[in-house]
Amino acid sequence: MANTQQSPSAAAGFVPTEEQVDGVLAWFAEYDAHAAAGEVERMADMAVFPVNVVSDSADGGGPAKSWTREEFVRRMREQGAGQDGVEMRSHRTPVFVNENLVFVVTDATFTVDGQTYAVRYGDLLVRTGGRWAFQTMVSGSFGAA
């Protein structure tokens, strides 16, 4: 097979419209607003369950698990959704597989009590029922998931 240089979008044959990209970013703005307000049940309403979670472990492994809605809600509460004094700034890069699947890489900073932490994580959104829904998250912050 020949190795040719093309942009990933051109190679895959799908290039999203500006409206599609804006729709994904608007979905995240809504999700982030729920997270900031501690509205964990509303966050869960924006997901397709079970949610797949891929993380890392102390031994360098990459465990993957599926969370039920109940597990998701519990974990998001444990992670401090809606916690006072937490500020998040993020830059998101959507990478569309097609019009119904998009990987989104997020580079974010969290400021807690004056201390800033930088993180990178990824999410897979699926378009279902005419709306985006969260389905898979990949992050080093969940330990053994």
Side-chain angles (χ1 to χ4, degrees), residues 52-67 75 79 120-122 136-145:
N52 296 312
V53 181
V54 181
S55 195
D56 57 356
S57 62
D59 66 2
K65 293 188 178 182
S66 292
W67 288 354
R75 293 291 194 114
Q79 291 291 319
R120 173 176 279 169
Y121 57 91
T136 298
M137 60 183 175
V138 179
S139 175
S141 65
F142 289 106

Side-chain angles (χ1 to χ4, degrees), residues 48 100-102 124-128 131-136:
V48 172
N100 297 310
L101 299 168
V102 61
L124 172 66
L125 301 183
V126 299
R127 193 144 178 85
T128 180
R131 182 165 167 84
W132 288 110
F134 175 60
Q135 205 294 309
T136 298

Side-chain angles (χ1 to χ4, degrees), residues 22-104:
D22 289 347
V24 166
L25 297 177
W27 183 93
F28 271 102
E30 179 182 347
Y31 186 87
D32 289 347
H34 292 316
E39 297 169 341
V40 177
E41 292 289 341
R42 300 281 306 268
M43 293 164 61
D45 290 343
M46 297 176 74
V48 172
F49 291 96
V51 167
N52 296 312
V53 181
V54 181
S55 195
D56 57 356
S57 62
D59 66 2
K65 293 188 178 182
S66 292
W67 288 354
T68 63
R69 181 185 177 100
E70 294 75 22
E71 176 80 354
F72 175 87
V73 167
R74 181 178 67 78
R75 293 291 194 114
M76 291 300 111
R77 285 191 175 125
E78 287 173 358
Q79 291 291 319
Q83 181 179 332
D84 287 336
V86 176
E87 180 182 331
M88 179 182 141
R89 296 188 188 275
S90 61
H91 174 77
R92 293 201 165 88
T93 305
V95 179
F96 283 76
V97 175
N98 60 32
E99 66 275 6
N100 297 310
L101 299 168
V102 61
F103 290 102
V104 181

Side-chain angles (χ1 to χ4, degrees), residues 108-119:
T109 58
F110 291 88
T111 303
V112 182
D113 298 326
Q115 181 69 36
T116 300
Y117 306 90
V119 296

